[in-house]
Amino acid sequence: MVKLSVFSKLSEKNRDLINAAESVMSNGYDPYSHFYVGAALRTKEQNIFRGANINTCAYGGICAERSAIAQATSSKQYLFESIAIISRSDFFNLKGHSGPCGICRQMIWEFAELANKDIEIFISDSKKEQILITSIRNI
């Protein structure tokens, strides 16, 4: 199930998660397509780990979601509750939402299996006007 919400109607906890993702979105490295993504992951312990995307000319890199997961696992935290994703393009006026790619979905899925919990996903447009709310089992 996918729900659409307005940022102001979300709980403070979920607004903070989206704001955390937004705070690192511009830190991404993408000198080619100028597409920037920020992600923030909330663990069971209520810690928030942030990640930004990295893209190279060899079409290799790391998505913001996996960057945030790497931060969490580097701190020995493997049980996740939710993840927020926000993106912006300097070349295109994206009016939509950019959710996790297939590799990121698989990684989130595996951590959901590890925690025996569906992980909630918040996907925001760049201006935080519309928030898609879903989960790894429903995306």
Side-chain angles (χ1 to χ4, degrees):
M1 183 169 122
V2 177
K3 298 184 284 186
L4 189 60
S5 182
V6 178
F7 182 77
S8 62
K9 299 219 181 224
L10 298 174
S11 70
E12 181 179 359
K13 180 176 165 179
N14 293 329
R15 288 192 312 266
D16 288 347
L17 190 66
I18 293 168
N19 285 335
E22 181 184 38
S23 75
V24 296
M25 177 174 54
S26 293
N27 296 352
Y29 176 78
D30 191 345
Y32 308 100
S33 66
H34 297 263
F35 182 67
Y36 301 99
V37 183
L41 177 72
R42 182 183 301 112
T43 66
K44 179 182 174 188
E45 296 84 4
Q46 301 303 299
N47 294 315
I48 295 178
F49 293 90
R50 296 165 178 86
N53 65 317
I54 303 166
N55 290 314
T56 68
C57 67
Y59 298 105
I62 185 168
C63 298
E65 298 92 313
R66 285 182 281 144
S67 178
I69 290 169
Q71 293 285 333
T73 60
S74 295
S75 297
K76 296 184 182 179
Q77 294 193 28
Y78 306 96
L79 304 178
F80 309 146
E81 280 191 355
S82 54
I83 188 166
I85 305 155
I86 187 169
S87 58
R88 181 191 85 238
S89 171
D90 289 348
F91 288 153
F92 305 104
N93 184 11
L94 297 177
K95 301 232 183 231
H97 301 78
S98 181
C101 73
I103 297 169
C104 290
R105 288 179 189 202
Q106 181 63 37
M107 189 171 282
I108 295 166
W109 179 270
E110 291 194 23
F111 281 98
E113 292 291 303
L114 178 68
N116 196 29
K117 181 185 185 319
D118 197 8
I119 296 173
E120 194 169 34
I121 302 174
F122 298 89
I123 305 169
S124 178
D125 65 325
S126 63
K127 295 183 181 189
K128 299 189 293 186
E129 293 172 343
Q130 293 185 340
I131 313 297
L132 292 176
I133 304 169
T134 188
S135 71
I136 194 58
R137 294 201 172 134
N138 290 311
I139 195 164

